Amino acid sequence: MTDAVRATPVVAYVGLGSNLSDPAAQVRQAMAELNGLPESELLARSPLYRTAPVGPADQPDYVNAVVSLKTRLSPRGLLEALQAIERAHGRQRDGTRWGPRTLDLDILLYGDERLSEPGLQIPHPEMGGRAFVLVPLADVAPSGLRVPGLGTLADLIERCPREGIAPIPVG
Ligand code: ADP
Ligand code: MG
């Protein structure tokens, strides 16, 4: 861990995605692992959604979801913990942008903070126009939630075409 735990917890939102090796199982398992993060408490899990791939189209559909957690991990500490979970799911980074992956965990929001550092940008730079992030985010966050620099979640959802995304029935 590169930096310290914070005295005051914040609510963070984490986006989950997978399109390889039984994606729904990868995402459910990752939620269980997020539930075990140190210095953190999982608050809510969205339903899982089947979504069309962004970027290269010759890859399987994705499963996406979002969780909220209360955490005292710093943004960098949280990122490192998420990357450790990605690695445990056998994630290989071959440099292909938006290419297939067993598990992708992104910090969408960390309280109301904005951060732009090498390797860590918060809010996540692509979240504003992506239904597969915004729709599950709205399942676990209040619609009045402010996305720093972008406006409210409700406004973002209204502007975003809700295409290529379908809830996966439970069970
Ligand atoms: P993507 O999620 O954009 O498809 P990756 O998961 O391969 O791509 O992430 C690439 C890099 O994005 C990671 O090495 C990480 O350092 C960086 N990154 C920047 N901001 C964030 C964030 N908010 N959450 C997760 N990763 C981030
Ligand atoms: Mg990522």
Side-chain angles (χ1 to χ4, degrees), residues 79 83 86 91 93 98 101 104-108 119-122 124-126:
L79 179 69
Q83 289 179 341
E86 287 180 346
R91 168 122 188 222
R93 290 176 193 274
W98 300 326
R101 65 276 305 271
D104 182 38
L105 297 175
D106 291 330
I107 303 176
L108 304 174
L120 185 56
Q121 283 177 273
I122 297 174
H124 191 276
E126 277 130 21

Side-chain angles (χ1 to χ4, degrees), residues 10 13-14 16 19 23 25 55 63-64 66 84 90 99 105 119 127 141 144 155 160:
V10 304
Y13 294 90
V14 172
L16 303 90
N19 76 337
V63 171
N64 287 103
V66 170
L105 297 175
M127 67 174 286
D155 289 344
C160 183

Side-chain angles (χ1 to χ4, degrees), residues 128-146:
R130 291 185 163 177
F132 67 80
V133 175
L134 297 175
V135 170
L137 178 59
D139 290 326
V140 295
S143 62
L145 180 81
R146 299 205 76 82

